[in-house]
């Protein structure tokens, strides 16, 4: 571990914190910039041991794009689920689906699991690290394999790119 | 001052005895100990004798030194005729007792203790008779009770001794308390405790409303000490003490203290109907009871004890009569009694040690083996019987003649003479019995030591001296009276009196006849003792000690049952008591109160608030209804907390909302932690009645709160808060007034508050440190499946949330002075974020990653806050004075620096440390494989 | 206009809160109740924010943030408890 | 402004906090810090007594804010006396504990210091809410100390003690709320001023608040029917802790004096304290009686001592309720005596218990006892003092109380209760003492443990204080009389505390 | 309230977010109340409510950004936080339900695997 | 409005009081929490209740009474400390006394 890694373990994250600080205090004065940077360095430093061990984001932009798509998906699928809940809740056919993971990084898996949960209609109920599967509960499922394929295409692949 | 010396010399002597005992422990040095012990009393006696001329000139020597003037307690001594007489008896007989004890305790380890105690006792006794100040006298009065207690329990291995000692202490100690009351009242009436003042205030005392009570209390003290019926019961049981003690305390001196007190106060309080009837009747009863019981005692010391009681009754009777001549007779008999009773006890002691028994049914015919003792005993025994030429004869005759002089009240003038004659008869009988039974009356039966052990001749010397003195008094009564007793009698009446005329007494015919009747009757009675004893055996046997002990036991049992019934260890009951205590007086006070509605107008109903209020109520009621199901109840409690938070937010209290919310979650987490070891449900165990009672209490309490709230809310508010609003910015440097109050105006409260939090955490640490929840080990497994210990997804998110949460707490912390927030809330946010790490990653995992332990964090927080407060001293301001300034730095611009922020940092640090300390230690309890012993 | 809409929106959230409470009350399982409480917390964030808008103070943001944080922690604690019988281990 | 005044609060706070920071300190260092702090407190106690003797009211404006807006500390003779008493008591307790009982649990010394901070704060503060805060400080520390050493009895008693006091704290807050709602202020002097001028319609509500406060302080002071937590709690606590607790009930008494005689006692015509005092009189007498009965029925020396505490509370509160200056002075003297003596007995129970083979301090157990003579003599002297026999402080104080009360109506009830309870104490102590020290003992095992000189000396010094209090009673009495006189001049207190604020008609100064 | 000076468009946008949020959140809560088993009920609140509240927060963000001038991102932070935590909450609750072997509704196609 | 608030306070207090009179430590803890809610709200309302007027200088025109808020804040913290303490104590007592009855013994089991 070199000196920079010791004192500044995550420069990108430090910047992010500083920015967050400025947004929070809603002031871009020099004092706050300095303070934000100080906190940005200080907080990662004291919490470095808590930070996930392996996770390293390789590509920032694809990640942002991923989140944007996710936002849209959330809104879209929300509408679908709303319709189902409101108009024909009795005709829902829920079911559990086992999703075989290709991702290996815990951090990436977490993002995938969260994504699955956030998109209405599916909830990640369990992550089996030994088997490398996610157990998904779907509110309305007609074809399990189709669901798995969809998730793999839409979310797992981009994530794999970002993290590997 | 040298009068005071008289009192304190024996203390010096006692100390010397103690030292000599420590220096020469063991049984072989009794002789030396006795010699040491004799010095102080002997000096006292000599000093007293040297005072005699001045006393005889009628002088009352008074010496006074202020001690506690606030309560009228002075170190004051008085030496007049009365005190001189008593003091001389005390020291004189004391010296002889020490000589006697030198032989009595020969070869015993306990001798040293005896010499110490006997001198202490002498101090106490001299103190009583020489005190000029009544409160001061009381000091010594209690001391005699105490030393007597110790001396009765001298042979502490005996159960009887212990019980006897306790009984005497309770009775005489209780009497002492009554006496305290009486003397205090007397002092209040007179305005002084000096005897001179009291004696000069007769009219004031007697005419005061409180006189009857005062007199009763004082007499209660005197009667208990002087073993008057029915308080006499302690005296026979005091005979468990070694014989020198019985001879000294329980016949010659201490028991006379009550008589002394009555004689002393007679001029001030006597001469009333009440005085006469209280004392006379008590004396008469005591006289008869003592004499009657004495006849049937088989124990020599028992007989002597009851005879003492009888004689004390007799003297009491005389004092009660109140006339000067009666007083003369009383003091004369008091002196002669001391002179004949002490040697009789000594005789009993010698017989006891020689034969190993005190039972007169066994001890017979000792004249053969102990002729000298027999010869000496003739005199005191005859004196006790009141045979002619003996001192006792004269005093009894004096009694008879005085009894005839009583004219009023009318019942007394015939009853008393008959009564005393009968008592005289009994006393002749028991006197004859003790002499005849011991020294004659055939052969001894089954004595432990036979032939009796030889006792040294020296042991007879004190007996001889006392017997001789007794004889001398009998032979030359007038001279004795004139030189010693007359002065005392004058002191008891505070007037010049003519001398008692003993020649007139010898010529009086009726008393002589009464005396004859008593004598003949007594001898007849003794001769007829066989059948009488048989009759007496038919009577139910009563042992006062057992009765006393039974009464005590019953009292104790009563006390225990009462206490147990009230203090039964039921928290529910205690809480109900507290509620009743809070509700009942308020109900009583406000029962008819009509001012609940104040003058302010009611405000409009806000539907949102009503909605919130309804949910708040419903959730609270839900908690109460479903409290048996613990986890659901906890969830409902969270709802309540949430809506309290919303209420704070709604009613312009953002700081409170933040605080309430964070605290609520932490509290629920803590409760959940605890719940995992508690049963999941509460059994339904309250009966219907209990539920109704509790509902009533709860309803009343709630109604009270509602009424109070309504009353206050409908009244206009006038508060000091305007000042805070006005000075918050200019004086406190912050716009969030609540925060400025917390860290500045009332920063001291906050300092206390975080101290409470810190202590709570340290306390949790301290008392869970060694707590082991062993049973968990069995149920704990490393179950995989759905219930894995640390779900990966949770762990990932929690870890990422930590830096953000810290940033947020920094934000909340820094803005707190001007906007809602502050150190406390920031601290809780930090703590919650870290708690999440514990939950997600496990105790061990998180603990390894914490930068510091938590206790030093708490301490540091407190130190930061305190030292910030102390900082203001440097500039001469009081503790916790805040300072702030707006700085302008180039580039950076304007910013504010406030000591309040530093103070808040202390708050923050303490909160983080305390919260985590509690959680981590609770977590540790639950953890099967926790990290070592200490967490935090 | 916003001022007229807000009470309506608040009313909708009140209904949502009532629905949450209904689930909280009937269960049937403790998980349902926890879920109801979690939802209630989230809805009350909205209530807080709406109140803030209604009063146009802008000072209740921290309260919203804290409810989010605390609601999450509370839910995690409770589910952890259900899963393991322990909250911290 | 005299900064020494804050020391009785700051010193223990700093010491306690420092001990936490240095949590790895070995017991020896902890002890020296604890003892050092107590010694300092004694010195400041003496300073306070002298200072209060010179100046009637010494004020300390925390944060330099003018009362009633800021919190003010008030040092007068009464608070000075309490400070010194607490300091002395704590010194002995810490010394005693330093012979080993402080090792039975963690952080004894730190907790002890926090406890002292709470007590001293309660004595000094002139603000009612601040009083609440310091009550909580002293309570939480006392919970911790009560549980020090652990064990089932302590857990059970501790649970009751804690829950009851939590209920009490809730009541305290309620009363504070009512008072603030009606008066709009928290400073005691200002409250007194406002209450004296309160509108007729508010008076019953204010009186009800005073009754609530009576319950609150009654719980702390152990007034019937709020006292049942006490016997088990005190007898469960470890000896030095129980000894320190001797002062705790007195805090309740002190608070009652301050609140009822000053806050509710300013209006001389129709003082608002009448109702509370009227309730206090009979309950205090019954408390006293129950204490006496409990003393007789106690099964162990610690329980007996706990009931002695109740007796002393009964006497203090009964005298307080008579609302008389002279009597208050007398009861303050009694407070000194009873605090020291109950502490002595808690320590003595432990001392004796340590040298008994079995049964610790239980009366029903017959057991060999080492050092019978030394311990017996100490017990005798202590018993004499406790039973208020001469020549110890108890005698003087009781005589003074009886004397001063005899001028007042219904004094005979008090007299009877005091004298009879005295008798019960004598009976109980003689039973205990004769049973322990006089019963024949056969020691079965080989060697008897050496007498702990430190512990014994501590007890002896405390007894010597009781004796000295009697020998030098007069100056103490003069001091306390002056203290009581000040208490009975609430207007002087109000003027001193509020200063100019009063004359400006309660308007804030900016 | 000085919302009167607000541009109409902004006001409409704010109102849209408010109403949309309210409706979405209500649907979530309806789902919670109406759906058949615990696994189904999980879907409603964890997402719908999050989204609904998110809408409200966006409305607030816009409102206060206008009111105070400058970007008021605090609400965004809350939204972000909600979106990060909601899936985890749902995940944990689903786990708990599975662990407690809660019954699925009869219409369920595939039940949970036994563990 | 005053009546609504008064009744709410009364209900909170009543439920709290009812629960602290129960026999199990957990119920008592619940009761103490409810009671402290009631008491804190009571103290809070003693400053009179106003909406949209937080005591932040410059934010609004009318300010609510800040003092009770500060007091309640202190009270909340203290009651949190106490609750935490009493919960742990209850746990300790339940472990040591083998019963979570407030008196440490199960009236249905131990007493004959
Ligand atoms: Na015989
Ligand atoms: Na702050």
């Amino acid at each position: 571990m070199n000196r920079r890694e010791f004192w500044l373990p995550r420069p990108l994250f430090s910047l992010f914190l500083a920015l967050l600080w400025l947004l929070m205090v809603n002031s871009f004065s020099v004092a706050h910039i300095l303070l934000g940077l100080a906190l940005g360095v200080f907080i990662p430093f004291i919490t470095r041991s808590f930070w996930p061990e392996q996770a390293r984001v390789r590509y920032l932009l694809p990640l942002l794009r991923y989140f944007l798509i996710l936002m849209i998906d959330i809104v879209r699928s929300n509408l679908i689920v709303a319709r189902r809940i409101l108009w024909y809740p009795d005709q829902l056919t829920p079911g559990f689906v086992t999703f075989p993971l290709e991702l290996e990084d815990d951090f990436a898996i977490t993002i995938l699991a969260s994504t699955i949960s956030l998109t209405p209609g599916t909830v990640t109920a369990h992550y089996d690290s030994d088997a490398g599967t996610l157990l998904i509960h779907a509110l309305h499922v007609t074809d399990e394999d189709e669901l798995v394929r969809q998730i793999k295409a839409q979310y797992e692949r981009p994530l794999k790119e970002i993290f590997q | 001052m040298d009068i005071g010396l008289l009192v304190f010399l024996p203390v010096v002597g006692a100390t010397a005895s103690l030292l000599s005992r420590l220096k020469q422990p063991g049984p072989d040095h009794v002789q030396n100990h006795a010699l040491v012990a004799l010095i102080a009393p002997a000096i006292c006696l000599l000093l007293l004798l040297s005072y005699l001329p001045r006393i005889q000139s009628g002088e009352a020597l008074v010496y006074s030194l202020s001690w506690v003037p606030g309560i009228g307690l002075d170190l004051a001594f008085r030496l007049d005729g009365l005190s001189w007489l008593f003091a001389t008896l005390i020291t004189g007989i004391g010296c002889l007792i020490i000589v006697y004890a030198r032989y009595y305790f020969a070869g015993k380890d306990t001798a040293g203790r005896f010499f110490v105690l006997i001198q202490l006792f002498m101090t106490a006794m001299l103190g009583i008779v020489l005190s000029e100040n009544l409160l001061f006298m009381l000091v010594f009065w209690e001391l005699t009770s105490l030393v007597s207690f110790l001396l009765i329990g001298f042979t502490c291995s005996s159960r009887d001794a212990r019980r006897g000692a306790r009984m005497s202490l309770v009775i005489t100690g209780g009497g002492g308390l009554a006496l305290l009351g009486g003397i205090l009242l007397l002092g209040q009436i007179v305005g002084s405790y000096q005897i001179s003042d009291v004696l000069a205030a007769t009219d004031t005392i007697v005419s005061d409303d409180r006189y009857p009570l005062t007199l009763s209390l004082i007499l209660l003290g005197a009667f208990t000490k002087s073993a008057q019926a029915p308080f006499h019961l302690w005296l026979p049981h005091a005979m468990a003490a070694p014989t020198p003690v019985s001879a000294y305390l329980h016949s010659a001196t201490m028991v006379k203290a009550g008589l002394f007190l009555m004689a002393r106060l007679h001029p001030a309080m006597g001469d009333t109907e009440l005085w006469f009837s209280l004392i006379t009747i008590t004396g008469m009863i005591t006289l008869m009871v003592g004499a009657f019981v004495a006849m049937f005692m088989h124990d020599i010391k028992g007989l002597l004890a009851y005879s003492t009681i009888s004689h004390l009754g007799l003297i009491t009777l005389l004092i009660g009569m109140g006339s000067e001549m009666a007083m003369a007779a009383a003091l004369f008999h008091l002196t002669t009694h001391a002179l004949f009773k002490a040697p009789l006890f000594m005789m009993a002691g010698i017989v006891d040690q020689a034969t190993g028994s005190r039972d007169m049914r066994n001890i017979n015919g000792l004249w053969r083996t102990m002729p000298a003792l027999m010869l000496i005993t003739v005199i005191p025994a005859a004196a006790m019987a009141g045979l002619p030429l003996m001192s006792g004869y004269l005093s009894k005759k004096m009694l008879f003649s005085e009894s005839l002089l009583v004219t009023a009240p009318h019942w007394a003038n015939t009853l008393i003479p008959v009564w005393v004659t009968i008592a005289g008869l009994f006393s002749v009988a028991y006197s004859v019995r003790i002499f005849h039974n011991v020294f004659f009356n055939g052969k001894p039966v089954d004595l432990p030591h036979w032939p009796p052990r030889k006792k040294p001749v020296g042991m007879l010397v004190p007996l001889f001296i006392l017997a001789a003195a007794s004889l001398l008094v009998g032979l030359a009564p007038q001279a004795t009276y004139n030189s010693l007793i007359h002065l005392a009698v004058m002191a008891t009446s505070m007037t010049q009196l003519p001398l008692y005329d003993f020649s007139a007494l010898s010529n009086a015919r009726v008393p002589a006849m009464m005396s004859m009747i008593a004598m003949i009757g007594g001898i007849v009675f003794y001769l007829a003792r066989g059948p009488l004893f048989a009759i007496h055996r038919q009577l139910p046997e009563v042992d006062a000690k057992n009765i006393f002990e039974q009464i005590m036991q019953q009292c104790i049992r009563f006390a225990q049952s009462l206490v147990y019934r009230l203090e039964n260890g039921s928290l529910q009951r205690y809480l109900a008591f507290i509620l009743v205590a809070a509700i009942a007086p308020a109900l009583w006070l406000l029962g008819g109160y009509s001012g609940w509605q104040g003058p302010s107008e009611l405000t409009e109903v806000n539907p949102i608030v009503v909605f919130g209020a309804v949910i708040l109520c419903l959730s609270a009621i839900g908690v109460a209804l479903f409290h048996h199901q613990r986890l659901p109840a906890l969830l409902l409690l969270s709802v309540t907390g949430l809506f309290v938070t919303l209420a704070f937010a709604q009613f312009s209290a953002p700081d409170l909302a933040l605080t309430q919310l964070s605290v609520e979650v932490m509290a629920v987490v803590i409760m959940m932690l605890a719940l995992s070891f508690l049963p999941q449900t509460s059994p339904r165990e309250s009966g219907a009645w209990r539920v109704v009672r509790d509902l009533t209490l709860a309803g009343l309490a709630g109604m009270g709160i509602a009424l109070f709230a309504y009353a206050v809310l409908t009244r206009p508010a006038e508060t000091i808060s305007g000042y805070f609003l006005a000075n918050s910015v200019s004086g406190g440097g912050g716009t969030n007034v609540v925060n400025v109050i917390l860290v500045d105006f009332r920063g001291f409260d906050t300092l206390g508050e975080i101290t409470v939090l810190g202590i709570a955490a340290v306390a949790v640490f301290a008392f869970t440190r060694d707590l082991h929840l062993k049973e968990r080990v069995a149920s704990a497994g490393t179950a995989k499946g759905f219930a894995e210990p640390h779900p990966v997804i949770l762990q990932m998110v929690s870890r990422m949330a930590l830096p953000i949460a810290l940033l947020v707490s920094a934000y909340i912390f820094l803005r707190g002075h001007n906007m809602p927030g502050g150190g406390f809330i920031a601290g809780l946010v930090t703590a919650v974020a870290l708690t999440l790490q514990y939950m997600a990653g496990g105790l061990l995992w998180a603990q390894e990653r914490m930068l510091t332990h938590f206790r030093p964090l708490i301490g540091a927080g407190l130190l930061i806050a305190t030292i910030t407060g102390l900082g203001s001293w440097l500039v001469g301001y009081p503790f916790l004075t805040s300072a702030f300034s707006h700085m302008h730095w180039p580039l950076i611009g304007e910013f504010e620096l406030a000591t309040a922020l530093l103070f808040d940092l202390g708050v923050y640090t303490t909160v983080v440390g305390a919260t985590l300390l509690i959680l981590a230690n609770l977590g540790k309890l639950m953890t099967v494989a926790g990290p070592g012993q200490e967490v935090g | 206009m916003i001022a007229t809409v807000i009470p309506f929106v608040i009313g909708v959230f009140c209904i949502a809160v009532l629905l949450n409470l209904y689930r909280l009350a009937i269960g049937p399982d403790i998980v349902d109740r926890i879920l109801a409480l979690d939802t209630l917390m989230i809805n009350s964030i909205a209530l807080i924010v709406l109140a803030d808008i209604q009063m146009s103070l802008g000072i209740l943001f921290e309260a919203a943030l804290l409810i989010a944080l605390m609601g999450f922690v509370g839910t995690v604690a409770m589910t952890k408890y259900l899963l393991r019988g322990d909250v911290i281990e | 402004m005299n900064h020494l005044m804050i020391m009785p609060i700051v010193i223990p706070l700093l010491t306690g906090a420092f001990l936490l920071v240095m949590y790895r300190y070995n017991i020896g260092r902890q002890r020296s810090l604890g003892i050092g702090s107590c010694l300092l407190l004694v010195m400041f106690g003496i300073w306070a007594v002298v200072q209060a003797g010179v100046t009637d009211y010494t004020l300390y404006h925390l944060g330099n804010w003018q009362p009633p807006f800021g919190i003010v500390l008030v040092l007068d003779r009464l608070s000075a006396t309490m400070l010194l008493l607490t300091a002395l008591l704590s010194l002995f307790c810490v010394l005693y504990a330093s012979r080993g009982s402080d090792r039975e649990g963690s952080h004894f010394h730190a907790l002890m210091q926090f406890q002292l901070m709470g007590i001293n704060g309660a004595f000094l503060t002139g603000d009612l809410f601040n009083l609440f805060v310091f009550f909580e400080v002293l309570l939480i520390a006392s919970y911790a100390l009560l549980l020090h050493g652990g064990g089932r009895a302590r857990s059970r008693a501790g649970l009751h003690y804690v829950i009851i006091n939590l209920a009490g704290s809730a009541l305290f807050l309620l009363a504070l709320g009512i008072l603030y709602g009606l008066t709009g202020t928290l400073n005691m002097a200002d409250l007194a001023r406002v209450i004296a001028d309160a509108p007729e319609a508010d008076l019953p509500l204010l009186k009800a608040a005073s009754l609530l406060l009576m319950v609150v302080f009654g719980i702390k002071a152990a007034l019937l029917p709020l006292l049942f937590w006490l016997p088990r709690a005190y007898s469960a606590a470890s000896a030095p802790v129980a000894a320190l607790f001797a002062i705790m009930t007195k805090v309740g008494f002190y608070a009652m004096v301050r609140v009822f005689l000053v806050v509710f006692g300013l209006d001389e015509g129709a003082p608002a304290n009448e109702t509370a005092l009227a309730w206090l009189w009979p309950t205090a007498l019954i408390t006293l009686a129950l204490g006496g009965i409990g003393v007789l029925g106690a099964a162990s020396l610690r329980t007996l001592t706990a009931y002695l505490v109740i007796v002393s509370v009964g006497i203090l509160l009964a005298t307080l309720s008579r609302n008389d200056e002279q009597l208050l002075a007398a009861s303050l003297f009694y407070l000194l005596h009873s605090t020291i003596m109950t502490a002595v007995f808690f320590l003595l129970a432990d001392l004796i218990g340590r040298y008994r083979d079995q049964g610790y301090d239980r009366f029903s157990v017959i057991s060999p006892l080492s050092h019978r003579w030394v311990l017996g003599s100490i017990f005798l002297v202590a018993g004499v003092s406790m039973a208020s026999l001469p020549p110890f402080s108890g005698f003087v104080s009781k005589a003074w109380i009886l004397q001063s009360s005899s001028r007042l109506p219904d004094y005979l009830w008090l007299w009877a209760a005091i004298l009879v309870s005295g008798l019960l104490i004598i009976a109980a102590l003689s039973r205990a003492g004769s049973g322990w020290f006089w019963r024949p003992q056969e020691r079965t095992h080989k060697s008897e443990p050496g007498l702990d000189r430190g512990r014994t000396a501590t007890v002896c010094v405390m007894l010597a204080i009781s004796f000295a209090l009697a020998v030098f009673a007069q100056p103490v009495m003069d001091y306390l009389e002056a203290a009581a006189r000040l208490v009975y001049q609430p207007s002087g207190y109000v003027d001193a505390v509020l200063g100019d604020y009063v004359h400006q008609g309660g308007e804030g100064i900016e | 309230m000085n919302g009167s000076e607000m541009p109409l468009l902004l006001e409409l946008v704010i109102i849209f977010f408010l109403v949309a949020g309210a409706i979405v959140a209500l649907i979530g809560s309806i789902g919670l109340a109406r759906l058949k088993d615990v696994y189904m009920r999980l879907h409603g609140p964890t997402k719908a409510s999050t989204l609904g509240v998110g809408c409200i927060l966006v409305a607030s963000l816009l409102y206060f950004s206008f009111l105070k001038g400058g970007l008021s991102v605090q609400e965004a932070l809350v939204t972000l936080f909600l979106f990060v935590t909601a899936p985890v909450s749902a995940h944990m609750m689903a786990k708990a339900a599975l662990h407690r072997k809660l019954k699925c509704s009869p219409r369920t196609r595939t039940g949970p695997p036994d563990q | 409005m005053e009546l609504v608030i008064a009744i709410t306070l009364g209900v909170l207090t009543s439920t709290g009081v009812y629960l602290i009179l129960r026999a199990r430590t957990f119920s008592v803890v619940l009761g103490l929490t409810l009671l402290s809610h009631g008491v804190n709200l009571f103290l809070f309302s003693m400053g009179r209740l106003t909406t949209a007027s937080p005591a932040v200088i410059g934010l609004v025109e009318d300010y609510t009474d800040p003092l009770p808020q500060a007091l309640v804040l202190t009270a909340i913290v203290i009651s949190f400390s106490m609750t935490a303490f009493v919960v742990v104590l209850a746990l300790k007592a339940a472990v040591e006394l083998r019963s979570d009855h407030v008196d440490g013994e199960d009236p249905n089991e131990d007493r004959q």
Side-chain angles (χ1 to χ4, degrees), chain B residues 67-71 113 139 142 146 149-150 153 156 162 165-166 169-170 174 177 181 184-185 188 193 210 213 552 555-556 559-560 562-563 566-569 571 574 577-578 581 585 588-590 593 596 705 708 712 715 718-721 723-724 726 731 744-746 748-749 751-752 755-756 759-760 762-763 766-767 769 853 855-856 859-860 862-863 866 873 877-881, chain D residues 1 3 6-7 9 13-14 17 20-21 23-24 60-65 68-69 71 106-107 114 117 127 129-130 133-134 137 140 144 147 160 163-164 174 178 180-184 201-202 204-205 207-208 211 215 225-226 228 231-232 279 290 293-294 296-297 307 373 384 389-390 400 402-403 406 411-412 415 419 422-423 430-431 434 438-440 470-471 474 477 509-510:
Chain B
W67 180 11
V68 192
I71 55 169
R113 187 151 54 98
V139 173
E142 300 288 17
L146 209 67
F149 168 74
L150 293 176
C156 47
R162 293 195 306 266
R166 280 209 298 266
L169 184 66
V170 170
L177 288 172
L184 287 175
L185 277 178
Q188 294 290 306
Y193 294 102
R210 289 168 285 180
L213 180 64
M552 281 296 286
C555 286
I556 290 168
Q560 277 166 346
L562 185 75
V563 165
L566 288 171
E567 194 235 314
N568 65 347
L571 177 70
Y574 301 166
F577 279 153
I578 289 175
W588 173 82
L589 179 73
L590 297 170
Y593 182 62
W596 295 111
I705 301 304
F708 276 118
V712 174
R715 281 165 164 74
E718 242 184 78
T719 77
I720 56 173
S721 294
Y723 181 86
F724 301 126
D744 198 337
F745 292 110
R746 298 185 69 90
F748 202 49
D749 278 347
L751 186 60
T755 312
V756 170
I759 301 169
V762 175
F767 73 67
R769 203 181 66 158
H853 286 269
R855 281 170 288 161
L862 291 175
L863 282 181
T866 314
W873 283 6
Y877 282 110
F879 188 63
L880 284 177
T881 307
Chain D
M1 198 136 306
H3 294 308
I6 190 83
M7 294 316 258
I9 298 168
L13 174 57
L14 284 177
L20 288 184
V21 173
Y23 69 106
R24 287 214 177 95
Y60 195 78
H61 296 163
L62 285 156
N64 205 23
W65 296 107
F69 310 111
I71 295 169
S106 320
H107 295 296
F114 289 128
M117 170 201 172
D127 186 284
F129 190 80
N130 196 235
V133 172
F134 276 112
V137 173
I140 187 88
L147 289 159
H160 287 195
I163 291 174
I164 285 172
L174 280 179
I178 297 170
Y180 183 80
L182 293 172
T183 64
D202 289 1
L205 298 177
K207 284 184 177 177
L211 288 175
V215 174
L226 316 165
F228 296 108
R232 288 178 201 219
W279 278 91
L290 185 77
I293 292 170
L296 196 63
Y307 277 101
W373 289 108
V384 167
L389 299 180
W400 200 14
L402 295 177
Q403 272 183 12
S406 70
Y411 70 96
L412 279 180
W415 276 45
L419 292 176
L423 181 62
S430 66
R431 205 164 71 89
S434 61
W438 281 351
R439 266 197 194 154
V471 173
Q474 192 56 45
M477 286 169 64
I509 318 146
E510 311 225 336

Side-chain angles (χ1 to χ4, degrees), chain B residues 170-210:
Chain B
V170 170
I171 292 178
T172 58
L177 288 172
L179 182 60
L180 171 66
I183 284 177
L184 287 175
L185 277 178
L186 188 61
Q188 294 290 306
I189 295 170
V190 177
S192 159
Y193 294 102
Q194 301 296 95
I195 287 175
S196 321
D197 299 333
V198 171
L199 295 184
T202 312
D203 294 337
T204 328
I205 296 169
V206 175
S207 58
D208 195 281
D209 285 347
R210 289 168 285 180

